[in-house]
Amino acid sequence: MSTAPPSNDLDSLYARLDPADVTSAVSVILKLRGETCDIDCLYCFEKRKEAPGGRRVDAADVHHLSAIFAGRPLAVELHGGEPLTAGQDAVADVLRALAANPNVVRVSLQTNGLLLDDSWLDLFDEHLPGLEISISLDGDARGNRWRVGYDGVPVYPRIVDALRLLERRGRTASLVCVVTPQILGRSEEVIDHLATFPAVTAISLVPCFDSSVLTPTKSAPRRPGTSRTLQAEAISPAGPAWAITPEQYTDFTLAAAIQWVRTGWFRKVKLDPVVSVIRRLRGLRTGSCHFDDLKCDHVFTLYPDGRLGSCDELPWPQAQLTRLPLIRSQQAVRHVQDRSPLLTQARALTSPCVSCDYRETCGGGCMAIRLRHTEAGRADAYCDHRMRLIDGVAALLAQPEHPEGIRCTRLRWRPRHPNQMHDVTAFLNRWDDPTTPRHPARLHTSPLGNINTVGLPGVHEADDLDPRHPQWRDGIEPGVFPLVQAVTEGWGYVTYDSCQGHPAAPGAPQRELAVGILPRNRTEAAEIAARLCRFASLAEAALPPHCTLDIGRSLLTCATSGNRYPVLDVRLMPSPGSRPDDYLAALPTGGRLLADLAERLAHRPAGGDPLRCACPPPCSRPRTPEPLEVCR
């Protein structure tokens, strides 16, 4: 068993554009008609920029961009406004130009779907058969209240017609579902409704964090249309009626994730940001810049008048970098980025993330959203929502058959790097099999009481022991043994790591008292999580002043197979503001109290009822889902 701390590297959270890099992709959003659109969604952020419409991004622009980024992968999104208002001839020219450039590895179309018909699909098939189609649809008819034409009439029925057309043509689409108050509290029916369309293979839940919008979008005509009147009526000094909070978005997304698993929709439909979090929890990369280091310096937006800027979600005109005709190389792009106060500010927003337990999973989030929340004095609310989302998805991944654990607010994501065991399967088998041979362990004790294979302070390899091993008692540090004994004998669980806590030494930081628990299966994982939640609720008011209990989820990597196993860790941490000496002095009392509390929780509920989390119960009734194999 071995663990070590991760590095704190800002570049791993927010990578700068490296002109010499030929592997990292850049994303380009082509605003084919700027903000021009055939409908007038009340929450449209693009129209709030008041970008000039009427012109078109053309094939020459595409070739110019491809030349700038020659030698590295280029992902292109046709966007708007509504990109199809550019007309079939103009779009065909752009598609031919994209198909002719070998570094263009992916092309997608973000559309409201209203103009889609057989002739458009024929055009796509002819010029770029691999074009990915994404359609905006905010749930069911009720959820699409804000997606209206200029006459104020909802366009939901026409979007459904587009999805039926794609179904008939054997094409698929992803959906962008903006989460507004119209679908809050209705995650089950919304996910069921969207996933039922045969053409839909992916759903992206996008938060409508628009509380800072206090004025209506300006109207070009002297008399605003019905849609702009509706928009003005929906905006108050407290913000627009379509806005939600980060906490509301997290609640909706986690409830949607439960439904996604319970119903088996995960076999057919990718649900984001849930899949992005799952991939990050598994140590994999994701295509979402909200969870990746390729953020604003790797995302570009081109408007029809030649304006080239960073991500379209950043505030404009601050996000504008230059004009396309003035740029001939990636070095020139990097130069204008270096002079951008907005990108400097965006990168600085990730500085606090380097010391956060969630950094490798969260990836720092969306810079545009973080910027808005920071300017409004609500940066903590955004971070809290990201942490809560990760905690919930980590619970769902560890115990999908018991999704009620997703609502626990005491169990947090606390990764350990690396957290590795030579052979996890063999260790679990040996734990429960008295006939398995047990080889002598290498036990050496440091002057500070650390027991490991080398007898030195700090984090070092330790042999994996079980209670039947003749050296079991000698291999557990005495200050933590009572708690380990309560967990293994009283609770009947498998411990994979423990530490009694140690003062700092040269080259070795202070260590906290800790016990790691390795579930045998998913059902036991759910039971352990519930028991630990109750354990923490009892400990909150009983621990000495300089100690606080932290219970967390992590993953244990098997060095033999490479598989990763969900584990749960109990750590007695220093209270905020406590001095090291005060914490170390309180450790013996805190350790004994935890062992006593663990013994009190050794008995299972009468009648064979399952253990329940001490947090408020979920609002959704439990159901038994199918085994989880996530659609990618």
Side-chain angles (χ1 to χ4, degrees):
M1 176 68 213
S2 61
T3 62
S7 63
N8 294 337
D9 185 1
L10 184 60
D11 289 337
S12 68
L13 293 166
Y14 188 115
R16 303 301 307 274
L17 181 70
D18 180 3
D21 186 359
V22 296
T23 59
S24 300
V26 296
S27 299
V28 176
I29 303 167
L30 298 182
K31 299 284 187 179
L32 292 189
R33 292 290 306 285
E35 53 82 29
T36 301
C37 189
D38 51 348
I39 62 175
D40 197 31
C41 303
L42 273 58
Y43 56 61
C44 180
F45 74 90
E46 190 63 45
K47 290 180 180 178
R48 291 201 291 264
K49 300 176 187 176
E50 300 174 26
R55 301 180 62 180
R56 294 172 175 82
V57 172
D58 58 27
D61 297 326
V62 172
H63 290 303
H64 191 160
L65 281 167
S66 184
I68 291 173
F69 295 106
R72 74 186 305 159
L74 191 62
V76 177
E77 181 175 10
L78 309 181
H79 207 280
E82 172 51 51
L84 298 188
T85 60
Q88 292 193 358
D89 290 342
V91 172
D93 287 342
V94 168
L95 293 181
R96 281 193 293 267
L98 291 169
N101 284 280
N103 60 321
V104 175
V105 296
R106 177 175 179 263
V107 183
S108 59
L109 167 72
Q110 180 62 47
T111 175
N112 59 38
L114 270 61
L115 294 177
L116 280 180
D117 58 18
D118 285 304
S119 64
W120 273 110
L121 297 181
D122 290 340
L123 184 148
F124 300 156
D125 289 342
E126 178 182 357
H127 298 291
L128 199 65
L131 177 70
E132 301 174 13
I133 298 175
S134 179
I135 294 180
S136 301
L137 184 65
D138 302 343
D140 54 13
R142 176 179 163 189
N144 282 268
R145 171 184 173 183
W146 311 112
R147 298 190 60 77
V148 300
Y150 288 91
D151 57 2
V153 177
V155 296
Y156 168 81
R158 298 167 65 187
I159 303 174
V160 171
D161 289 342
L163 290 174
R164 300 299 187 201
L165 169 65
L166 293 175
E167 177 188 350
R168 291 194 301 272
R169 292 289 297 261
R171 295 192 68 113
T172 61
S174 58
L175 296 181
V176 172
C177 175
V178 178
V179 181
T180 70
Q182 294 300 316
I183 61 175
L184 292 180
R186 302 194 301 116
S187 57
E188 291 188 2
E189 56 191 281
V190 167
I191 290 301
D192 286 348
H193 179 75
L194 296 178
T196 301
F197 290 104
V200 172
T201 57
I203 301 170
S204 180
L205 302 177
V206 177
C208 199
F209 294 153
D210 272 359
S211 58
S212 60
V213 175
L214 301 177
T215 56
T217 304
K218 292 182 180 179
S219 300
R222 291 183 179 180
R223 297 183 61 184
T226 304
S227 57
R228 297 300 170 90
T229 301
L230 292 174
Q231 185 195 62
E233 292 173 349
I235 297 177
S236 72
W242 59 77
I244 62 171
T245 67
E247 182 180 15
Q248 289 172 325
Y249 174 69
T250 305
D251 288 344
F252 180 88
T253 301
L254 291 178
I258 292 175
Q259 183 70 358
W260 179 64
V261 171
R262 282 174 171 168
T263 56
W265 287 126
F266 61 84
R267 298 186 183 281
K268 169 185 179 287
V269 177
K270 173 185 174 183
L271 180 66
D272 255 334
V274 178
V275 169
S276 289
V277 175
I278 289 175
R279 291 187 61 83
R280 296 300 288 168
L281 288 169
R282 290 176 168 173
L284 304 173
R285 300 202 69 159
T286 173
S288 170
C289 59
H290 294 198
F291 294 90
D292 199 84
D293 62 324
L294 302 181
K295 296 190 182 297
C296 306
D297 283 33
H298 289 76
V299 180
F300 301 91
T301 304
L302 177 66
Y303 282 90
D305 58 357
R307 286 175 300 145
L308 181 68
S310 187
C311 173
D312 65 337
E313 293 189 33
L314 287 168
W316 285 69
Q318 299 96 309
Q320 182 175 340
L321 297 171
T322 183
R323 300 185 69 83
L324 183 63
L326 303 178
I327 297 293
R328 297 294 174 186
S329 67
Q330 290 187 64
Q331 288 81 0
V333 174
R334 173 63 186 266
H335 180 65
V336 294
Q337 286 180 332
D338 288 343
R339 293 185 300 166
S340 168
L342 183 64
L343 291 184
T344 300
Q345 182 183 9
R347 180 174 168 83
L349 289 175
T350 61
S351 296
C353 301
V354 297
S355 59
C356 177
D357 284 336
Y358 293 80
R359 63 187 172 275
E360 293 188 3
T361 309
C362 170
C366 171
M367 297 301 98
I369 297 176
R370 288 191 68 162
L371 182 64
R372 293 199 296 270
H373 280 80
T374 299
E375 291 177 342
R378 296 191 295 268
D380 288 346
Y382 181 64
C383 290
D384 289 346
H385 121 74
R386 300 275 296 181
M387 295 176 189
R388 180 73 193 95
L389 179 65
I390 292 168
D391 292 340
V393 175
L396 188 65
L397 192 60
Q399 52 187 76
E401 292 86 358
H402 305 273
E404 62 274 4
I406 205 171
R407 308 225 181 233
C408 181
T409 57
R410 289 189 176 90
L411 268 166
R412 311 298 299 272
W413 176 243
R414 296 287 188 258
R416 305 167 69 185
H417 302 277
N419 197 27
Q420 184 171 284
M421 179 179 285
H422 175 66
D423 192 330
V424 176
T425 300
F427 175 70
L428 285 172
N429 291 337
R430 184 169 65 248
W431 188 281
D432 291 322
D433 184 359
T435 66
T436 301
R438 286 158 173 83
H439 303 290
R442 299 163 294 172
L443 302 181
H444 300 279
T445 305
S446 78
L448 297 179
N450 310 75
I451 300 177
N452 50 49
T453 60
V454 292
L456 294 175
V459 178
H460 298 280
E461 183 183 6
D463 287 337
D464 304 312
L465 305 180
D466 64 274
R468 293 186 175 89
H469 195 286
Q471 295 171 278
W472 165 253
R473 181 64 184 84
D474 295 333
I476 307 297
E477 295 169 358
V480 75
F481 183 77
L483 180 57
V484 171
Q485 189 174 35
V487 171
T488 56
E489 295 182 11
W491 292 1
Y493 300 146
V494 176
T495 56
Y496 74 97
D497 189 31
S498 65
C499 178
Q500 70 179 14
H502 304 283
Q510 176 179 289
R511 298 287 309 280
E512 298 84 20
L513 184 146
V515 174
I517 305 174
L518 172 62
R520 295 175 175 88
N521 51 56
R522 288 171 170 174
T523 298
E524 187 176 79
E527 180 184 294
I528 296 171
R531 191 186 295 273
L532 288 180
C533 179
R534 304 187 73 83
F535 180 60
S537 70
L538 292 174
E540 284 171 355
L543 285 171
H546 298 292
C547 297
T548 183
L549 187 65
D550 184 270
I551 53 175
R553 297 183 187 273
S554 185
L555 292 173
L556 175 66
T557 301
C558 177
T560 301
S561 67
N563 294 333
R564 306 179 109 194
Y565 296 79
V567 292
L568 301 105
D569 298 310
V570 178
R571 294 190 295 179
L572 190 60
M573 305 290 292
S575 298
S578 294
R579 298 179 304 175
D581 289 347
D582 292 332
Y583 169 72
L584 292 170
L587 264 184
T589 301
R592 286 194 300 270
L593 187 142
L594 291 182
D596 291 342
L597 289 177
E599 289 181 3
R600 287 172 53 187
L601 284 175
H603 301 291
R604 285 174 167 76
D609 293 334
L611 284 168
R612 297 294 183 188
C613 171
C615 297
C619 60
S620 301
R621 60 189 183 280
R623 288 181 240 165
T624 302
E626 302 176 60
L628 180 61
E629 292 295 336
V630 177
C631 173
R632 291 179 178 83

